[in-house]
Amino acid sequence: METLGDVRISGIPRVTDMAFSPTGLTAVVSGLGECKLVDMETWKVLRSFKEPWIDRNRHGLGSPRFTPDGKYLVQQCSEPSLRIFDTASWERVDRLPGLPDDIVQYRPASQLPLAVIRTRDKAVLLWNVEQQAPVAKLDQDRGLSEAVFSPDESLLAVSITGDRNRWRLRVWNTKSVEFVHEL
């Protein structure tokens, strides 16, 4: 694979995460607590997202994700909470349709109506967005590092921080919701 070139995003000296919009026309790049929406053709910054300063402190934003339909941009905040933006108006909204109010992390599947969420009480759940209900509790009282669906979305890999910051990688079958393996 050949590198097409280096991209520099003004205001983000170190990129930590990136999410492409479902259309592929834009992407959100995050780093050092800020997120920027960029045009994928020109790499120009179209919009910046950052939290306001409050008493010399500012909550950081990161882990941007678009909903599969592209209607919302979801960013994780260090508060902990989510910052949700309607992509038609770029106005901030209070919640995502089909998801509980108390989620602090969101990792959607691209085709299935599923998402891995983490709630304020530290429950890590596989959530059915259409039924607006949990499918399975994947863990409790742990930190969710990442959740990734396989290309056919039949498997789900969830990276969890355990006791004394030990990491676990668990694999689940999304159709039967059965635990497959832990690495």
Side-chain angles (χ1 to χ4, degrees), residues 66-74 82 84-87 91-103 106 108 113-115 117 127-133:
F66 286 93
T67 56
D69 60 10
K71 290 183 180 180
Y72 300 96
L73 169 65
V74 180
L82 294 180
I84 305 161
F85 295 88
D86 180 316
T87 58
E91 294 293 320
R92 193 165 146 192
V93 296
D94 293 332
R95 64 184 305 266
L96 278 173
L99 293 169
D101 292 334
D102 67 337
I103 65 172
Y106 168 77
L114 298 174
I117 63 170
W127 189 269
N128 186 310
V129 179
E130 286 177 351
Q131 296 175 355
Q132 300 184 21

Side-chain angles (χ1 to χ4, degrees), residues 125-156:
L125 305 170
L126 181 60
W127 189 269
N128 186 310
V129 179
E130 286 177 351
Q131 296 175 355
Q132 300 184 21
V135 174
K137 184 182 249 184
L138 305 177
D139 220 315
Q140 179 66 47
D141 295 325
R142 309 286 183 187
L144 172 63
S145 175
E146 192 57 81
V148 180
F149 291 86
S150 63
D152 68 355
E153 296 185 344
S154 65
L155 296 174
L156 166 64

Side-chain angles (χ1 to χ4, degrees), residues 102-122:
D102 67 337
I103 65 172
V104 295
Q105 286 178 280
Y106 168 77
R107 303 292 188 271
S110 60
Q111 302 299 317
L112 295 175
L114 298 174
V116 174
I117 63 170
R118 182 171 177 248
T119 61
R120 278 198 184 93
D121 67 353
K122 298 182 181 177

